[in-house]
Amino acid sequence: MKALCSRFSFYAGFVVGTFTLYVFLRQVWYERSVPVRSSNYDKIHDYQLRLEQDRKVWKKDRSALFNLEHPHRKGEDSRMADELYKKVRILCWVMTGPNNLEKKARHVKATWSRHCNIVVFMSSVDDPDFPTVGLGTKEGRDQLYWKTIRAFHYAYEHHAHEADWFLKADDDTYVIVDNLRWVLANHSAEEPIYFGRRFKPYTKQGYMSGGAGYVLSKEALKRFVEGFKSKTCTHTTSVEDLAMGQCMEKVGVVAGDSRDTALRETFHPFVPEQHLTVKFPKSFWYWSYCYYPISEGPNCCSDISVSFHYVESNLMYLMEYYTYHLRAFGYKYRYQPPVPSGYKELLDSPPNAPPAPAAAAAAMDPQPDPVPDKKPVPDVSDKDQSVEAAHS
């Protein structure tokens, strides 16, 4: 009888223990699965919110995004910015790749690119949802110039009549597009000219830094495309910005001076922190590449700077906030850049007043009065190996 009781106790204990273990493991599994489900739900919800926001900001057409409204805060006097937005039409194409759409490109899409008239994200493959244009290349540093060649050809063939200036930027470049319009406003899109951060080696007039971004006039874009058709330009090297500069020189496109009237640079190949606080050793490639004398510290950068490179996604939003929202009370800006030719009447009239006759006549002219360019300003982008280091 004792043996029977022992066996019964053993089996009863085994069943109870097994059931208890089952209940415990099920509870652990449930607790772990709920956050995962919640996380997935949050991701789907965030994605839907982003799509809804995109519909309010962008009109999608032919893999390009057309801005529905110049983004500025209500209550601000943005007459000058709005007028330049209409007259200095900029297509921004952003070099990216399939693996960078979520990590980098979507943050460009949510911040500075909203100030462009047209935005096109160029990748190696099509993505109709983002959207991106597939250029039919591979990914990798050795493909940069191929992507650049095909991207500019695509912009010319599909959007030449919809913009006056064509900006190339990386997906880790931050651009203050409104400041770029100031740089361009005294120039005609019919001039064979391009602007950026000018570097000086390897070409007579220098070339523009790829990382800091560069912008071509419509005439410069036309000559670039025709240069490849006539074989004046070819794919000579994978160092994109240098190859671009060599082609520009061959087809007679001038390297423009993008500095402000205080001779401070507006395009920058590094993040603001490096330009403002870091002392580059004299052996650093930057000293021998920059076309103009380098200023360190606060004088490194114009108050109306155009671009910075190596900007991580979280810094994109900080830059957007600092540029368009943060203000110090009680100050008038110390640097007052000259008003572009043909726009002064706009500032003389009170807000919401009808344009003066001179301003109305100027509005009928699709091109601002051309102003003689400064001396050619080469930009120092990413160099050969040094060049490649700066591009990475």
Side-chain angles (χ1 to χ4, degrees):
M1 190 59 127
K2 272 186 178 182
L4 188 60
C5 286
S6 295
R7 276 186 195 170
F8 178 79
S9 298
F10 170 78
Y11 286 124
F14 177 78
V15 170
V16 171
T18 302
F19 179 76
T20 303
L21 179 62
Y22 168 77
V23 171
F24 173 75
L25 291 177
R26 182 176 176 82
Q27 180 66 22
V28 170
W29 171 83
Y30 177 76
E31 289 176 354
R32 289 184 178 178
S33 67
V34 167
V36 171
R37 291 173 186 171
S38 176
S39 174
N40 288 338
Y41 173 80
D42 289 342
K43 286 180 181 178
I44 294 170
H45 182 62
D46 289 346
Y47 179 70
Q48 289 172 336
L49 286 177
R50 277 189 357 231
L51 287 179
E52 184 61 29
Q53 184 63 30
D54 281 353
R55 289 190 203 100
K56 294 178 181 177
V57 175
W58 303 109
K59 180 183 83 171
K60 188 166 72 171
D61 182 19
R62 294 163 294 154
S63 296
L65 297 171
F66 290 76
N67 201 327
L68 296 175
E69 184 179 5
H70 182 223
H72 58 75
R73 292 195 294 170
K74 292 180 179 178
E76 288 188 332
D77 182 1
S78 60
R79 287 173 295 160
M80 179 63 73
D82 291 339
E83 193 67 15
L84 287 171
Y85 179 82
K86 296 172 189 173
K87 290 188 177 181
V88 185
R89 302 176 302 164
I90 300 175
L91 178 146
C92 305
W93 73 262
V94 180
M95 185 182 291
T96 189
N99 294 333
N100 279 354
L101 295 185
E102 280 299 305
K103 292 186 295 184
K104 295 182 178 182
R106 80 174 177 92
H107 304 292
V108 171
K109 187 179 179 183
T111 56
W112 66 261
S113 70
R114 297 183 309 122
H115 302 271
C116 305
N117 297 82
I118 308 171
V119 183
V120 185
F121 288 88
M122 303 288 190
S123 180
S124 53
V125 295
D126 282 309
D127 184 329
D129 295 324
F130 190 82
T132 64
V133 173
L135 299 172
T137 65
K138 297 178 182 177
E139 290 295 332
R141 294 198 55 77
D142 61 333
Q143 298 294 307
L144 289 179
Y145 193 39
W146 277 124
K147 289 177 82 170
T148 301
I149 293 168
R150 294 183 182 183
F152 273 124
H153 276 70
Y154 179 92
Y156 183 73
E157 291 163 7
H158 293 83
H159 301 289
H161 62 293
E162 294 168 322
D164 309 302
W165 300 86
F166 299 81
L167 171 72
K168 175 264 174 187
D170 291 344
D171 54 15
D172 61 350
T173 304
Y174 182 86
V175 182
I176 301 101
V177 182
D178 292 297
N179 289 349
L180 176 59
R181 289 194 176 95
W182 176 83
V183 173
L184 303 176
N186 277 329
H187 295 272
S188 164
E190 304 311 312
E191 291 180 63
I193 194 168
Y194 80 129
F195 295 95
R197 179 58 176 267
R198 197 170 176 184
F199 288 168
K200 64 185 176 186
Y202 310 118
T203 59
K204 289 181 182 178
Q205 69 170 5
Y207 63 95
M208 306 301 172
S209 163
Y214 47 84
V215 58
L216 278 63
S217 69
K218 186 180 295 188
E219 176 62 22
L221 176 63
K222 176 184 175 184
R223 293 192 184 195
F224 178 75
V225 171
E226 290 176 347
F228 277 88
K229 290 180 180 177
S230 66
K231 307 238 184 280
T232 304
C233 297
T234 57
H235 185 285
T236 54
T237 171
S238 61
V239 182
E240 160 243 330
D241 48 7
L242 171 59
M244 188 77 190
Q246 291 172 336
C247 177
M248 293 285 95
E249 192 168 88
K250 289 177 182 177
V251 297
V253 174
V254 174
D257 185 349
S258 61
R259 295 177 299 168
D260 67 18
T261 54
L263 303 182
R264 295 172 301 180
E265 299 280 6
T266 58
F267 288 76
H268 308 290
F270 306 114
V271 291
E273 178 187 358
Q274 284 186 287
H275 287 287
L276 291 166
T277 65
V278 173
K279 278 199 163 288
F280 299 113
K282 295 299 181 182
S283 58
F284 189 46
W285 63 266
Y286 190 56
W287 290 97
S288 60
Y289 269 73
C290 285
Y291 190 87
Y292 296 107
I294 296 174
S295 295
E296 295 182 303
N299 207 43
C300 68
C301 312
S302 171
D303 290 15
I304 50 170
S305 285
V306 169
S307 70
F308 294 92
H309 189 211
Y310 300 123
V311 178
E312 295 182 355
S313 58
N314 59 340
L315 185 53
M316 293 268 179
Y317 298 94
L318 286 175
M319 294 286 290
E320 191 80 358
Y321 173 74
Y322 292 149
T323 301
Y324 291 100
H325 296 268
L326 184 62
R327 300 289 185 269
F329 176 74
Y331 290 88
K332 182 179 180 181
Y333 294 143
R334 66 177 180 268
Y335 177 63
Q336 295 293 322
V339 176
S341 174
Y343 292 85
K344 188 174 185 305
E345 295 84 355
L346 193 66
L347 295 185
D348 291 340
S349 60
N352 302 321
M364 299 297 292
D365 183 4
Q367 304 297 342
D369 297 330
V371 171
D373 185 24
K374 307 169 196 170
K375 296 177 186 176
V377 188
D379 179 61
V380 191
S381 167
D382 309 337
K383 19 317 127 197
D384 46 284
Q385 269 327 73
S386 315
V387 174
E388 301 224 355
H391 277 272
S392 59

